[in-house]
Amino acid sequence: MTAAATGRKPVAIPLFRRSKRRDLVEIPGRADVLALISVLLGYPDEEFDSLRDDLTQAVDALPRSAAASLIQEFWEKFSRFELQEARRHYVETFDLRRNCSLFLTYYLHGDTRQRGMSLLMFKQRYRAYGFTPPENELPDYLPMVLEFAATTGPGVGEGLLRMHRSGLEVIRTALRKRKTAYSLLFDAVNVLLGPITQKQLDEARQLISAGPPQDSIGLESPLAGYGQADANVPFGPPAYTCSEKREPQ
């Protein structure tokens, strides 16, 4: 019996929640996993600290999966940090190293002019699906992309993550090398996105070896590859990294 015959309107599944991928990994509570990783990758400010009990409950409530186990392992380690220690660790991990930057378009386009177009694409994608990100953060900021993926599903939201899979692998490799608990969150994202392709692995290795693309105009010398140099200087636009808000105390 059709919907017209019963007088009921057909149930409309939004297009952005569909995915035609046949290799999609089934993860119970998929949106919750993405949303929680988004929060846990945020800077541990006072608001974050006040949510510790809520975060513990949210982590414990995740349906059982490989991704959930990795998040739980991360939280077991990270929740032991005092606030100042957590802040210091965050800044040292993400703000002082180019190969751990949480701004995804950097890995795909480096500091070239193409990066601006890619950032615009993020904004347009958000706007098209009614997602309103904070104005004080770049649109390719990974926690924001994860929140968008949690909101819109594996079709569109996770598509942005898959587009930057090689960059995610660069970060994951660097975090594993540093033996930081944050690598567990990237392991969880990796599980959720499914097996990485050989092409993506090759791209990640190339990025680690040679670094991202660079415009030669106006540059005295190109940045070295991640494996060649990793200067402990703030990476990224000053307005977004190592601001006063993120100063370890």
Side-chain angles (χ1 to χ4, degrees):
M1 184 175 293
T2 65
T6 61
R8 294 197 301 265
K9 293 183 178 179
V11 177
I13 301 175
L15 179 62
F16 59 83
R17 287 194 178 276
R18 302 174 188 167
S19 177
K20 296 180 179 180
R21 296 185 64 92
R22 295 181 179 180
D23 60 345
L24 191 66
V25 178
E26 293 295 332
I27 300 289
R30 193 179 197 89
D32 293 334
V33 167
L34 288 165
L36 196 48
I37 297 175
S38 170
V39 174
L40 295 176
L41 277 178
Y43 178 72
D45 53 17
E46 292 183 0
E47 181 181 3
F48 181 99
D49 195 54
S50 69
L51 294 174
R52 282 180 183 255
D53 290 341
D54 292 333
L55 288 171
T56 298
Q57 293 179 17
V59 169
D60 291 342
L62 287 175
R64 294 182 61 181
S65 70
S69 296
L70 289 164
I71 295 172
Q72 289 161 355
E73 184 179 352
F74 164 80
W75 187 242
E76 181 181 352
K77 296 178 179 180
F78 187 81
S79 60
R80 299 171 187 168
F81 285 171
E82 296 293 336
L83 179 58
Q84 299 306 323
E85 184 182 7
R87 288 177 170 175
R88 186 176 300 110
H89 181 67
Y90 187 95
V91 170
E92 290 174 351
T93 300
F94 295 118
D95 287 352
L96 299 182
R97 289 171 173 80
R98 291 186 300 118
N99 58 357
C100 294
S101 168
L102 295 179
F103 299 97
L104 293 181
T105 60
Y106 175 72
Y107 300 96
L108 189 61
H109 299 301
D111 290 324
T112 66
R113 294 165 179 80
Q114 291 182 333
R115 187 179 181 191
M117 294 301 297
S118 189
L119 290 171
L120 179 60
M121 182 275 294
F122 271 86
K123 290 182 178 180
Q124 292 173 337
R125 188 71 59 90
Y126 292 158
R127 189 179 301 116
Y129 292 95
F131 181 76
T132 306
E135 294 186 0
N136 64 342
E137 197 65 82
L138 288 175
D140 64 337
Y141 181 51
L142 180 56
M144 188 185 306
V145 182
L146 289 164
E147 182 183 350
F148 178 67
T151 303
T152 57
V156 168
E158 290 181 28
L160 289 176
L161 293 170
R162 297 180 194 281
M163 188 184 303
H164 294 273
R165 191 72 187 274
S166 57
L168 289 170
E169 185 64 19
V170 170
I171 306 172
R172 188 167 80 105
T173 300
L175 294 176
R176 281 186 159 191
K177 186 176 181 180
R178 283 181 50 76
K179 294 182 170 58
T180 169
Y182 278 111
S183 66
L184 295 166
L185 297 181
F186 282 80
D187 288 342
V189 173
N190 190 59
V191 167
L192 187 142
L193 293 179
I196 187 170
T197 67
Q198 187 60 49
K199 179 182 178 182
Q200 291 165 334
L201 281 174
D202 291 342
E203 290 173 348
R205 293 190 184 109
Q206 176 65 19
L207 279 169
I208 292 171
S209 174
Q214 297 290 322
D215 277 335
S216 58
I217 299 176
L219 294 177
E220 295 182 0
S221 61
L223 291 173
Y226 298 133
Q228 302 170 36
D230 190 17
N232 290 327
V233 294
F235 163 74
Y240 298 101
T241 54
C242 289
S243 61
E244 294 182 1
K245 171 186 175 183
R246 291 188 179 181
E247 283 294 329
Q249 301 174 3

